[in-house]
Amino acid sequence: MIEFIIKLHPEIAIKSKSVRKRQTLLLERNIKTIVLRVDSNIDVKNSYDHLTIRYPGDELAIKQQLVERLSCIPGIMQFSEMQSSSFTSLHDIYEQVALVYADQLENKSFCVRVRREGKHTFSSIEAERYIGGGLNQLVSSARVQLKKPDVVVALEVRKDVLIMVRRQYQGMGGFPLPSQSDALSLISGGYDSAVASYLMIRKGVRTHYLFFNLGGAAHEAGVREMSHLIWQKYSLSHKVKFVSVNFAPVVEQILENIDSGLMGVVLKRMMMRAAASVAENLGIKALVTGESIGQVASQTIANLNVIDRVTDMLVLRPLIYQDKQEIVDIARKIGAEDIAKSMPEYCGVISNKPTVNAVLADVELNEQKFNFAVLDQAVQEAKVLDIRTVDYQADQQAHVVTELSELPADAIVLDIRSPEETELKPLTVANHAVVELPFFRLASQFSHLDQTKQYYCYCDRGVMSRLQAVILQEQGYANVAVYRP
């Protein structure tokens, strides 16, 4: 049997009884929604101060998937893999513990902690001393240390059952979705907006995505990939929206009518206006941005003050004090770095001398020359989509990507899935070479392949493979299609 005990985020544990109960129920529901996709035989039990997950089998693949999923569910601070067994004596307990922990104690300090329930011939303290002494003799490089040890040997003795912690895993912490109201995150595909979205999800905020398209279909495809990654990894339990607004006409208006030094500030004000309208239409009460003080000219305190004057809607900036390297480090930790660093910069406006101290009166005077009908039209024509249905590239393309289930003799299959996916489920295609090239490296590495060959992109659902094939075709590669077995 595979068994995990889930520890709640500490801030949940200190809430009032009613709040704690509500958030624990939310977490239970979210866990069920996600882990039952792994296997329908998984059982989730809510015990108020912790949750237990049990699976009747012992397949390694199931355990690996559970560990991966549980580590990315908001509200889980820590979870432990447990082992349950019967015992005949205190010495029998020691021998079972030694089999599990001996290797983990090499060159480590440790202590034994025993929780006991029922009638036994030994007390909890006696058990700790006996087992700890035995382990100390068994592993010569280990040493007992009661305060802040490297390893805690955590045991529970419930009547005639011994329960051991085999291994502990860290969760992402935070609050379960949706503990708070929804928010709309302005996402560009880069480091900042991706990390800001993740941090709001971690706070229990169901986070939707708003994209202002400045770079055409290729730009949108990349941002969709980033949005889909964050949703699928960290908020899979809930449906969210992906909204795309064509902002090219708005940028054109800015370039024609706004003073050069104010272009960046005005562009952000137009985005805020549009975002507030989209959010109101969706019944969302807050916006999220990846802005950080002083990172670029438009993010000085003076300019942010002017930008925020265009809307009364709450604007959340979780990165406001973060340094760039700190943001990049978080992006790496959450798995967003590879996509972010491969995302080209799409600058809507470029000023030779952008102001860092915009004056509201000057900005408003400049905006009188702007045709706001263009902004209104952009918002009205916004595409509002379910994040799960990213398969809509045909609506944006003038050509169709070829999809084949039976490949030509000389075809090469490009497995564009992430390294984690290919390792878990390697792809083999009879009589054809398979090249593993993750989608986030295609743009930079496809040109290094033998261009006399025909390549067929593959992913599990066929969605990302088609999007990537479209991007490559737009870049002038005609030797790309899609493999759909």
Side-chain angles (χ1 to χ4, degrees), residues 12-24 48:
I12 299 176
I14 64 174
K15 299 294 184 185
S16 66
K17 185 176 181 179
S18 59
V19 174
R20 180 174 178 173
K21 181 178 179 181
R22 175 180 174 270
Q23 296 207 352
T24 305
Y48 180 69

Side-chain angles (χ1 to χ4, degrees), residues 397-408:
Q397 304 300 326
H399 59 277
V400 177
V401 177
T402 302
E403 297 184 13
L404 295 180
S405 58
E406 296 184 7
L407 300 175

Side-chain angles (χ1 to χ4, degrees), residues 132-419:
L135 292 172
N136 197 37
Q137 293 181 15
L138 178 65
V139 185
S140 59
S141 63
R143 68 185 189 281
V144 176
Q145 183 174 309
L146 300 182
K147 293 184 177 180
K148 297 182 179 180
D150 297 325
V151 179
V152 175
V153 180
L155 311 173
E156 289 192 28
V157 180
R158 296 180 184 175
K159 298 181 180 179
D160 59 349
V161 176
L162 168 65
I163 303 174
M164 281 186 284
V165 176
R166 293 183 60 90
R167 185 174 177 183
Q168 291 185 331
Y169 302 88
Q170 286 299 121
M172 65 183 289
F175 297 109
L177 293 168
S179 299
Q180 303 296 321
S181 300
D182 292 10
L184 185 63
S185 180
L186 280 61
I187 191 161
S188 65
Y191 293 100
D192 301 343
S193 57
V195 172
S197 300
Y198 161 80
L199 292 176
M200 297 314 301
I201 292 170
R202 188 180 179 275
K203 271 295 187 180
V205 176
R206 180 163 60 175
T207 303
H208 305 264
Y209 303 94
L210 172 60
F211 164 61
F212 293 108
N213 194 341
L214 305 176
H219 186 195
E220 183 164 340
V223 177
R224 283 203 309 274
E225 289 172 3
M226 177 67 85
S227 304
H228 191 270
L229 168 72
I230 298 169
W231 166 75
Q232 188 174 53
K233 193 168 184 179
Y234 299 106
S235 59
L236 184 61
S237 57
H238 286 77
K239 301 176 183 178
V240 302
K241 303 293 186 184
F242 179 88
V243 184
S244 175
V245 178
N246 179 15
F247 233 52
V250 176
V251 170
E252 184 178 345
Q253 276 282 314
I254 292 174
L255 292 172
E256 291 178 353
N257 299 298
I258 305 300
D259 291 349
S260 176
L262 298 177
M263 285 182 177
V265 172
V266 172
L267 175 62
K268 289 295 183 68
R269 281 168 60 90
M270 296 302 170
M271 287 181 172
M272 284 296 183
R273 286 186 174 101
S277 295
V278 171
E280 288 174 359
N281 292 337
L282 296 176
I284 296 173
K285 306 299 183 183
L287 303 176
V288 179
T289 78
E291 291 161 320
S292 174
I293 289 178
Q295 194 171 114
V296 295
S298 64
Q299 294 176 20
T300 62
I301 289 179
N303 287 353
L304 289 173
N305 178 282
V306 171
I307 290 168
D308 280 1
R309 298 298 183 93
V310 299
T311 178
D312 293 329
M313 185 165 287
L314 174 65
V315 180
L316 302 171
R317 294 184 170 96
L319 305 183
I320 196 66
Y321 71 95
Q322 298 275 15
D323 295 331
K324 189 65 177 185
Q325 188 57 54
E326 292 174 322
I327 297 169
V328 172
D329 290 343
I330 298 174
R332 182 181 302 116
K333 177 183 175 182
I334 67 176
E337 181 188 25
D338 286 321
I339 300 179
K341 69 183 180 184
S342 65
M343 185 70 61
E345 287 288 341
Y346 293 94
C347 299
V349 294
I350 301 176
S351 302
N352 292 328
K353 294 182 179 180
T355 182
V356 296
N357 193 25
V359 177
L360 180 61
D362 293 340
V363 172
E364 290 177 338
L365 184 63
N366 262 262
E367 288 181 345
Q368 291 179 10
K369 298 177 287 183
F370 184 90
N371 182 3
F372 280 90
V374 174
L375 181 66
D376 294 339
Q377 184 175 0
V379 172
Q380 291 172 6
E381 295 176 353
K383 294 178 295 185
V384 182
L385 304 151
D386 187 321
I387 192 73
R388 299 170 301 173
T389 59
V390 295
D391 186 11
Y392 63 96
Q393 189 70 36
D395 294 337
Q396 303 174 23
Q397 304 300 326
H399 59 277
V400 177
V401 177
T402 302
E403 297 184 13
L404 295 180
S405 58
E406 296 184 7
L407 300 175
D410 59 346
I412 297 176
V413 178
L414 280 182
D415 188 346
I416 68 167
R417 296 175 297 165
S418 66

Side-chain angles (χ1 to χ4, degrees), residues 87-142:
F87 64 92
T88 57
S89 65
L90 181 55
H91 187 71
D92 183 24
I93 292 177
Y94 156 70
E95 289 183 330
Q96 292 187 50
V97 172
L99 287 174
V100 172
Y101 278 95
D103 292 340
Q104 300 181 40
L105 300 183
E106 293 285 352
N107 300 307
K108 299 286 181 63
S109 62
F110 76 96
C111 72
V112 178
R113 295 285 181 257
V114 176
R115 294 178 61 185
R116 193 175 55 85
E117 179 183 312
K119 295 183 178 180
H120 304 93
T121 59
F122 52 86
S123 67
S124 296
I125 294 178
E126 289 172 339
E128 291 173 355
R129 289 173 176 171
Y130 186 89
I131 297 166
L135 292 172
N136 197 37
Q137 293 181 15
L138 178 65
V139 185
S140 59
S141 63

Side-chain angles (χ1 to χ4, degrees), residues 217-218 221 393 397 399-401 465-475 480 482:
Q393 189 70 36
Q397 304 300 326
H399 59 277
V400 177
V401 177
S465 56
R466 182 156 65 253
L467 295 179
Q468 291 297 328
V470 166
I471 293 173
L472 289 171
Q473 288 185 1
E474 285 189 337
Q475 293 174 352
V480 185
V482 172

